[in-house]
Amino acid sequence: MIPTIEQAQALLEQYNREAFHLRHAKIVSGVMGWFAKELAPDEIAFWKVVGLLHDLDFERYPEQHCIKSQEIMRENGIDERIIRATASHAYPAVDIRPEHIMEKVLYATDELTGLIGAVALMRPSKSVSDLEVKSVKKKFKTPNFAAGCSREVIQAGADMLGWPLDELIQKTILAMRSLQDEMEL
């Protein structure tokens, strides 16, 4: 089964209660939808569902992240493509390498959305609306800033996509800007 956005949201909320995790899932879902418009316009809803469910197990089972979620999704009859895509974003901790363009975008943008969000909060506007690539790059080079956002994963994601890091950052900023009306970014 390929769940609707509403069904995916309901499943997400069964395993996640913290506002931070729910917000992150919505941001990644929106970013995935933005990229799908450019890269796979017939699969926008599918990409958004993958983004919404990518951290399904993280709040309850952080030590089994992307392992437990595979079990949960199979129990709920979720399509194997979604299971694979969500698990692949934890590569190499989970031995499923991102191969499909959608998996590579998820891998590249999951950590990056966190870094961009942290940089935006440091700005007077506290928004991505006036955020520039150079500001993100400056903080990217500061390991102690948003230390939980893996620079290695972000760079590896850009490399997997065959995009320069600046291009990945710019597109992800634009994707996050597109969500401003729905969410306070």
Side-chain angles (χ1 to χ4, degrees), residues 121-166:
L121 287 175
M122 300 299 293
R123 302 182 65 72
S125 67
K126 301 204 180 303
S127 169
V128 295
S129 63
D130 58 350
L131 186 60
E132 296 179 12
V133 171
K134 68 180 181 180
S135 298
V136 176
K137 285 287 289 279
K138 182 177 178 183
K139 294 299 187 182
F140 182 90
K141 294 174 184 174
T142 307
N144 292 338
F145 180 82
C149 299
S150 171
R151 276 61 166 176
E152 294 80 22
V153 167
I154 295 167
Q155 183 63 62
D159 294 345
M160 281 181 194
L161 289 163
W163 298 347
L165 182 59
D166 286 11

Side-chain angles (χ1 to χ4, degrees), residues 20-157:
F20 175 84
H21 292 131
L22 295 171
R23 179 177 160 77
H24 174 67
K26 283 187 175 184
I27 290 169
V28 173
S29 177
V31 166
M32 292 296 290
W34 186 91
F35 276 97
K37 287 177 188 170
E38 176 184 334
L39 302 169
D42 294 337
E43 297 181 343
I44 294 170
F46 184 80
W47 284 43
K48 288 180 82 168
V49 165
V50 168
L52 203 54
L53 294 177
H54 81 284
D55 278 346
L56 176 65
D57 60 0
F58 189 78
E59 187 175 312
R60 277 201 200 168
Y61 308 101
E63 310 82 30
Q64 296 178 292
H65 181 44
C66 290
I67 295 168
K68 190 70 174 171
S69 63
Q70 293 178 62
E71 177 185 316
I72 293 166
M73 286 191 237
R74 284 191 181 104
E75 288 171 359
N76 283 276
I78 303 292
D79 188 289
E80 283 295 323
R81 293 174 299 157
I82 295 171
I83 295 169
R84 181 193 151 66
T86 57
S88 74
H89 93 278
Y91 180 80
V94 173
D95 192 26
I96 301 173
R97 183 175 175 77
E99 293 176 4
H100 183 278
I101 186 74
M102 181 248 316
E103 296 168 350
K104 292 175 183 179
V105 169
L106 176 61
Y107 183 86
T109 61
D110 176 36
E111 298 282 324
L112 183 54
T113 60
L115 180 65
I116 290 171
V119 175
L121 287 175
M122 300 299 293
R123 302 182 65 72
S125 67
K126 301 204 180 303
S127 169
V128 295
S129 63
D130 58 350
L131 186 60
E132 296 179 12
V133 171
K134 68 180 181 180
S135 298
V136 176
K137 285 287 289 279
K138 182 177 178 183
K139 294 299 187 182
F140 182 90
K141 294 174 184 174
T142 307
N144 292 338
F145 180 82
C149 299
S150 171
R151 276 61 166 176
E152 294 80 22
V153 167
I154 295 167
Q155 183 63 62

